[in-house]
Amino acid sequence: MSLVMQALRDVFTGVNYFIFFYVLFVSGFYFLLFLVSALQLRKLFGLEDKSPYSELLESSFTPPVSILVPAYNEEAGIVASVRSLLATNYPNFEIIVVNDGSKDRTLETMLEAFSMKKVQKAVRKSLETQRVREVYISEVYPDLILLDKENGGKADALNAGINVSQYPYFCSLDADSVLERDAFLKVMKPIIDSDGDVICSGGSVRIANGCRIERGEVLEINLPDNKYAVMQVIEYMRAFLMGRIGFSRHNMLLIVSGAFGVFNKDIVVRAGGYRHDTVGEDMELIVRLHRFTRENKMQKRTIIYVPDPVCWTEAPEDASILRKQRSRWQRGLMDSLRLHKRMFFNPRYGLVGLISFPYFFFVEMMGPLIEAFGYLAIVIGLATGRMFLPFAASLLLLSILNGSLLSAGAVLLEEWSLRKYPRVSDLTKLCLYALTETFWYRPLNTYWRLEGTWQFLRKQQGWGDMKRKGVSN
Amino acid sequence: MISTGLLWVLWANVGVIGLLLVLYLYLVAQKSFDVRWNSNLKARRERLQLLLQKHLVEGVETRSLQHLRSADVVALKDLLLEYSQVLSSVEAGERLRQLAEQVFTEPFRKDMRARNYAVRLNALYAIEEFRMESLRDDVVARLEKNRKLNQVERCQLYAILASLQDDALLTFLTDSALEPLPDFVYRELLLKMNESLFDRLFNQLYTLPRALRYCVIDIIGNKGDYRYVKAIEELTYSREREERIRALKAITKFGYVQRGSSLVDKSEAESWQERLMAARAMGAVAKDEFVDVLTKMLRDSSWWVRKESAQSLLRYPRGQEILRRIAESDEDRYARDMAREWLEAKQL
């Protein structure tokens, strides 16, 4: 009996040590990223906003962009979104709304609002998609195109948009996000400056909740009142300011926000466009682009991230929606990693293979699992008393360091470098919320993402079956 | 062992909390300072605005524009940057330039060498905007002495020389062959040049880096500078394919050629890109002698060339009629399809 107890105790001690060093390592890694980003951001602090872009706007050489807006049951917001896009500050662009077989009146609303006329258009099918029923062009705005196609999901809608688009760069945009007017100038600048070596440029996304937005313009930046929304503001700051700037500097970016990114169309088409059999089509595409450029000896082609916030998106204020979103993210992440597992620790793929991939695997994907064990260990440790109390205490402290304190750090970093929220009280509120993170928001997230992991693993089984069938045929 | 671990983590937490607290207090202090400084700037700005308007527009000299405090200098810079965008009269512009030189020469000279990147660049943008000749030598010296300047800064220094129409720029551009600049930068520099500086650059076209040469051709087309029509036509026979394509593009922009044969010759070029540009140019120039060539090009093996030819034909008075005939009876199926599609597009 006591032998069993002893064994259990040893195992538990081992688990505790493992979690302890894991979290310690992750904290160290974050801290490093934090420093890189802080220095980079501070360098640009105070740079005047307008001057670097005025020339882009006046030049007739600024490359034109096709804006793709996939819409599935968006009758409520689509017209306003398109109107705000029409006011974009950019010399030459077209807007392609793709009605992905909506069941509501998305199509009719668009046809009426912009008096759209049916046209015969020979579409070059560079990517396979569901059947496109009709193509419409607005009689009022000749650069506004509407595709009506059979339902095939977001990836399929984007691919159809790519087929119809006529310009060398395209941008995918969610129908519910608001772009700043100068967004394209800002994200296109690195592409133009690099003579096209930058093949994808993602903009930073911010939470719109609480802000006053009229006709596609953010008039007043405010913090939301809803606690989930505030936490997401902090979360976005943390992800964008810390993680992505550090990764972007060395072309190791694996995520460009799904809400806003500009891509080189030619390369995306050659790499095969968006995949429709995954929930994380945006991340998957980025990973594939890395893979494609490496495998085709295009090392100079890079993927970058612009820290200036250019896109505002409505964050879910409701736990149940947030829960679905997080679980979907986790599934998307796992799927992208699964599809490209050969890049894992593969020196052929450079830093992406050696650092980003393992990072996403061990920290982003495995993180929730290990954190869950950590929380469990804390509870058990506190319950069993003396023997494991030091473990429990140190794990708790580490998770405070890794969660609350690092988030508070991100809030302060944003204040130090970008200074977007106007009032002293905003800063205080954000800091205080950030400090509570370890105690409710992070455990919740861990739980939601574990659910995602579980769903993914169960579904994986199903796909495995389908694949076997494919092989035997 | 774990107890020492615990101790370490505890200290790390305490340390980080302390650090964050200090940072927080510092940022709060700075933020409130910022708020006050901004309202001070706003007040200064309102005071200066009237004086400045009188001075720039009516030429009234005022002494209050000579003794300025540090907040005044910042406010004045912002105001002048705004005015320089809207002032249209030559005298007002010249007064603005003089005032800028008088007030900002020393501060900007210092800013140009500041350690902070953003401060340096902001100064350089303003120097260009105000066309401050007083800092010309500093600009050249900085370019000559600092080989390792970051590209953005280097380009901005070039931009200043371009807006001053300074010959020193031509040497720097010729030397840039070793490390060519992005096309976009070249074009912006070319657009800032006046005719005489641009002519001097064109005279040494073949000493320039290749990328810049292409941009020169593009710019000529874009500006529609007819003085170069002949030179461009000659370039369509260049030995470099890219140069020929750019020249055709320029002709498209002109919408004019002296000798049509230079386009007709290209309809049988080896690369489809060249044929496409030739088709486009023939649409823009719209001389009757091209109709038969374009009709033939509707049966080209490349989709892009066919598309371009159809589009070009539509720009001719008889274009629709020709396309209709092809759509109905041409033996080439691809030509028929293309003609039909463009006829429909035209009807919309």
Side-chain angles (χ1 to χ4, degrees):
Chain A
M1 181 65 192
S2 75
L3 214 69
V4 176
M5 281 304 284
Q6 187 59 41
L8 269 179
R9 203 172 276 178
D10 285 350
V11 169
F12 190 57
T13 313
V15 169
N16 270 312
Y17 269 119
F18 173 72
I19 297 171
F20 179 80
F21 284 112
Y22 172 85
V23 183
L24 198 66
F25 177 76
V26 170
S27 305
F29 188 75
Y30 275 140
F31 196 70
L32 215 70
L33 282 178
F34 195 102
L35 283 183
V36 173
S37 308
L39 295 176
Q40 169 78 3
L41 276 175
R42 186 61 185 186
K43 184 179 157 201
L44 300 176
F45 177 68
L47 198 59
E48 273 158 23
D49 211 28
K50 203 71 198 169
S51 319
Y53 304 107
S54 54
E55 281 162 2
L56 284 188
L57 189 60
E58 285 158 26
S59 171
S60 52
F61 289 106
T62 310
V65 178
S66 305
I67 307 173
L68 311 181
V69 188
Y72 178 68
N73 295 346
E74 301 272 2
E75 64 173 9
I78 188 72
V79 171
S81 298
V82 171
R83 275 203 204 290
S84 97
L85 280 177
L86 284 166
T88 296
N89 214 4
Y90 196 77
N92 200 356
F93 63 91
E94 63 178 352
I95 300 170
I96 302 173
V97 179
V98 185
N99 175 35
D100 189 29
S102 296
K103 294 198 183 72
D104 64 356
R105 300 190 69 252
T106 305
L107 179 68
E108 290 80 357
T109 329
M110 278 297 292
L111 294 184
E112 278 161 32
F114 300 102
S115 40
M116 313 216 57
K117 267 272 151 62
K118 212 180 276 186
V119 284
Q120 288 294 324
K121 206 170 160 101
V123 176
R124 272 168 58 86
K125 244 195 176 177
S126 353
L127 299 166
E128 260 330 297
T129 66
Q130 295 289 334
R131 199 173 70 83
V132 173
R133 295 185 201 125
E134 297 292 350
V135 182
Y136 301 86
I137 289 182
S138 163
E139 288 184 313
V140 199
Y141 306 98
D143 293 320
L144 176 60
I145 298 168
L146 174 69
L147 281 191
D148 182 30
K149 65 182 275 294
E150 271 155 29
N151 182 273
K154 188 175 164 193
D156 198 61
L158 286 169
N159 283 341
I162 292 174
N163 280 342
V164 173
S165 69
Q166 35 167 343
Y167 294 146
Y169 290 93
F170 76 86
C171 151
S172 67
L173 197 68
D174 285 351
D176 57 358
S177 43
V178 177
L179 272 191
E180 286 197 1
R181 288 195 174 184
D182 293 336
F184 282 104
L185 295 177
K186 287 180 180 171
V187 290
M188 284 302 288
K189 186 159 189 340
I191 294 181
I192 295 166
D193 283 349
S194 71
D195 267 350
D197 277 341
V198 171
I199 54 168
C200 168
S201 162
S204 141
V205 175
R206 285 301 179 85
I207 305 289
N209 307 40
C211 298
R212 203 154 67 81
I213 296 175
E214 270 171 34
R215 269 173 258 119
E217 230 181 326
V218 180
L219 297 176
E220 203 184 303
I221 304 180
N222 272 321
L223 280 180
D225 291 323
N226 177 286
K227 63 181 178 190
Y228 290 107
V230 177
M231 288 317 287
Q232 286 175 82
V233 170
I234 296 168
E235 209 176 25
Y236 272 74
M237 280 182 181
R238 190 175 151 145
F240 280 110
L241 290 174
M242 293 171 48
R244 295 195 189 165
I245 293 170
F247 277 111
S248 168
R249 269 199 73 140
H250 303 283
N251 188 27
M252 308 193 301
L253 215 57
L254 281 193
I255 293 185
V256 164
S257 137
F260 185 62
V262 173
F263 293 83
N264 178 318
K265 186 170 83 179
D266 177 48
I267 300 222
V268 170
V269 167
R270 275 160 64 195
Y274 285 93
R275 259 185 101 107
H276 17 72
D277 54 359
T278 173
V279 273
E281 73 281 331
D282 34 12
M283 177 179 182
E284 199 277 333
L285 179 65
I286 299 289
V287 180
R288 189 143 38 86
L289 286 177
H290 274 298
R291 187 168 167 179
F292 183 79
T293 52
R294 297 278 171 177
E295 285 173 358
N296 292 284
K297 308 245 173 332
M298 301 192 277
Q299 260 77 341
K300 271 178 79 188
R301 300 304 184 97
T302 53
I303 292 172
I304 63 131
Y305 158 71
V306 183
D308 229 347
V310 290
C311 176
W312 297 77
T313 189
E314 200 74 30
E317 297 200 336
D318 182 87
S320 67
I321 298 177
L322 193 60
R323 173 179 172 182
K324 274 191 207 129
Q325 185 195 47
R326 293 306 143 107
S327 132
R328 195 177 64 237
W329 284 2
Q330 179 75 3
R331 276 179 286 143
L333 171 71
M334 293 178 80
D335 208 26
S336 298
L337 294 182
R338 176 185 69 91
L339 287 165
H340 299 281
K341 53 179 176 287
R342 68 178 346 232
M343 291 171 78
F344 191 75
F345 275 131
N346 191 337
R348 191 176 161 202
Y349 299 99
L351 289 176
V352 175
L354 292 177
I355 299 181
S356 314
F357 230 79
Y359 163 77
F360 274 93
F361 184 81
F362 288 115
V363 179
E364 296 284 330
M365 189 183 122
M366 300 297 285
L369 198 68
I370 295 170
E371 270 172 45
F373 273 111
Y375 290 122
L376 211 65
I378 293 176
V379 174
I380 295 178
L382 289 177
T384 52
R386 298 190 49 184
M387 170 87 200
F388 292 107
L389 207 58
F391 273 119
S394 38
L395 279 180
L396 187 64
L397 285 175
L398 261 185
S399 72
I400 291 177
L401 186 73
N402 194 18
S404 295
L405 296 185
L406 219 54
S407 292
V411 169
L412 294 176
L413 172 63
E414 120 91 48
E415 169 61 23
W416 188 50
S417 57
L418 292 174
R419 216 158 284 182
K420 280 281 168 185
Y421 289 91
R423 282 175 296 268
V424 174
S425 62
D426 293 333
L427 181 62
T428 310
K429 183 173 170 185
L430 282 171
C431 275
L432 289 178
Y433 266 87
L435 290 178
T436 67
E437 187 182 297
T438 311
F439 305 101
W440 64 284
Y441 189 69
R442 205 168 165 94
L444 260 180
N445 253 295
T446 302
Y447 175 65
W448 291 334
R449 289 172 62 182
L450 270 183
E451 273 187 339
T453 310
W454 173 241
Q455 286 163 7
F456 177 81
L457 291 175
R458 254 185 22 203
K459 214 170 174 190
Q460 195 55 44
Q461 217 74 38
W463 284 352
D465 283 347
M466 267 166 52
K467 252 184 216 141
R468 265 197 297 281
K469 227 189 257 166
V471 171
S472 68
N473 284 343
Chain B
M1 182 190 158
I2 189 64
S3 334
T4 44
L6 171 63
L7 223 57
W8 275 103
V9 179
L10 191 64
W11 280 117
N13 270 23
V14 172
V16 171
I17 290 175
L19 204 71
L20 289 178
L21 199 66
V22 172
L23 199 59
Y24 170 76
L25 291 177
Y26 164 74
L27 288 172
V28 165
Q30 203 173 42
K31 205 167 185 105
S32 17
F33 173 79
D34 264 8
V35 172
R36 242 178 305 146
W37 170 254
N38 283 335
S39 70
N40 187 9
L41 268 190
K42 217 172 139 195
R44 295 274 144 192
R45 189 190 153 93
E46 271 159 24
R47 203 180 65 87
L48 281 171
Q49 195 154 20
L50 263 177
L51 289 173
L52 197 60
Q53 190 145 4
K54 275 216 158 103
H55 173 68
L56 292 179
V57 181
E58 296 160 29
V60 181
E61 291 296 330
T62 72
R63 307 194 76 206
S64 7
L65 284 175
Q66 278 159 17
H67 303 285
L68 297 166
R69 290 193 238 161
S70 62
D72 287 327
V73 174
V74 178
L76 187 65
K77 181 187 153 197
D78 288 346
L79 276 172
L80 284 187
L81 279 175
E82 281 166 30
Y83 273 112
S84 74
Q85 302 280 339
V86 291
L87 283 183
S88 52
S89 97
V90 182
E91 298 115 57
E94 182 56 22
R95 275 196 285 268
L96 186 146
R97 207 184 60 75
Q98 274 171 9
L99 180 63
E101 285 198 349
Q102 178 198 321
V103 178
F104 298 122
T105 302
E106 283 316 311
F108 283 173
R109 185 170 284 150
K110 215 174 93 216
D111 285 354
M112 273 175 72
R113 293 193 218 103
R115 276 187 51 190
N116 185 312
Y117 174 74
V119 171
R120 287 204 306 275
L121 271 185
N122 285 344
L124 294 181
Y125 289 133
I127 294 172
E128 187 203 337
E129 191 64 43
F130 300 148
R131 290 171 214 274
M132 293 171 65
E133 264 162 48
S134 54
L135 288 167
R136 184 258 175 199
D137 291 342
D138 297 70
V139 170
V140 173
R142 195 160 167 77
L143 278 167
E144 276 168 352
K145 283 192 195 126
N146 292 284
R147 290 271 152 218
K148 280 191 295 183
L149 283 178
N150 139 323
Q151 189 183 305
V152 177
E153 194 172 346
R154 175 178 295 274
C155 295
Q156 188 50 36
L157 288 163
Y158 289 156
I160 296 173
L161 291 180
S163 66
L164 293 176
Q165 311 302 335
D166 197 303
D167 270 350
L169 178 63
L170 302 185
T171 323
F172 286 121
L173 286 182
T174 314
D175 291 346
S176 71
L178 290 176
E179 261 179 275
L181 299 170
D183 288 358
F184 184 74
V185 174
Y186 279 138
R187 289 184 191 129
E188 290 309 327
L189 291 175
L190 293 172
L191 282 174
K192 288 186 171 105
M193 295 180 181
N194 62 15
E195 269 186 16
S196 82
L197 187 62
F198 191 85
D199 285 350
R200 269 170 280 157
L201 183 78
F202 192 81
N203 286 337
Q204 51 181 76
L205 190 65
Y206 280 92
T207 68
L208 300 179
R210 178 178 298 169
L212 175 56
R213 217 155 64 216
Y214 297 157
C215 295
V216 169
I217 302 172
D218 288 350
I219 291 286
I220 290 173
N222 243 44
K223 287 204 293 197
D225 196 339
Y226 285 104
R227 294 177 303 148
Y228 291 104
V229 169
K230 212 165 157 228
I232 293 290
E233 260 173 64
E234 274 162 27
L235 281 171
T236 61
Y237 291 99
S238 156
R239 246 187 288 163
E240 264 180 75
R241 191 183 82 178
E242 185 60 28
E243 213 159 82
R244 296 196 299 269
I245 292 179
R246 303 271 173 150
L248 287 170
K249 226 179 191 170
I251 290 177
T252 310
K253 292 274 168 61
F254 284 147
Y256 172 76
V257 273
Q258 289 179 336
R259 288 182 22 241
S261 58
S262 54
L263 296 185
V264 176
D265 292 348
K266 298 290 165 309
S267 70
E268 279 167 8
E270 217 171 290
S271 76
W272 65 266
Q273 289 95 333
E274 226 177 315
R275 298 200 300 275
L276 174 132
M277 283 317 302
R280 190 175 290 173
M282 284 188 237
V285 177
K287 273 191 180 181
D288 276 341
E289 59 178 300
F290 299 142
V291 170
D292 291 340
V293 187
L294 281 173
T295 315
K296 209 171 93 200
M297 285 173 93
L298 261 179
R299 300 176 200 128
D300 196 283
S301 59
S302 153
W303 185 87
W304 293 103
V305 177
R306 297 201 297 275
K307 172 181 169 233
E308 206 58 55
S309 310
Q311 225 171 334
S312 286
L313 272 174
L314 277 178
R315 303 183 63 159
Y316 285 73
R318 290 192 297 127
Q320 281 202 53
E321 190 188 315
I322 297 169
L323 280 186
R324 200 164 299 131
R325 211 182 54 227
I326 292 172
E328 279 159 13
S329 62
D330 202 273
E331 70 242 24
D332 186 309
R333 194 175 70 100
Y334 293 106
R336 285 200 310 267
D337 282 353
M338 193 54 79
R340 203 170 299 143
E341 186 190 333
W342 281 97
L343 277 173
E344 267 181 52
K346 177 84 181 177
Q347 264 141 31
L348 263 167

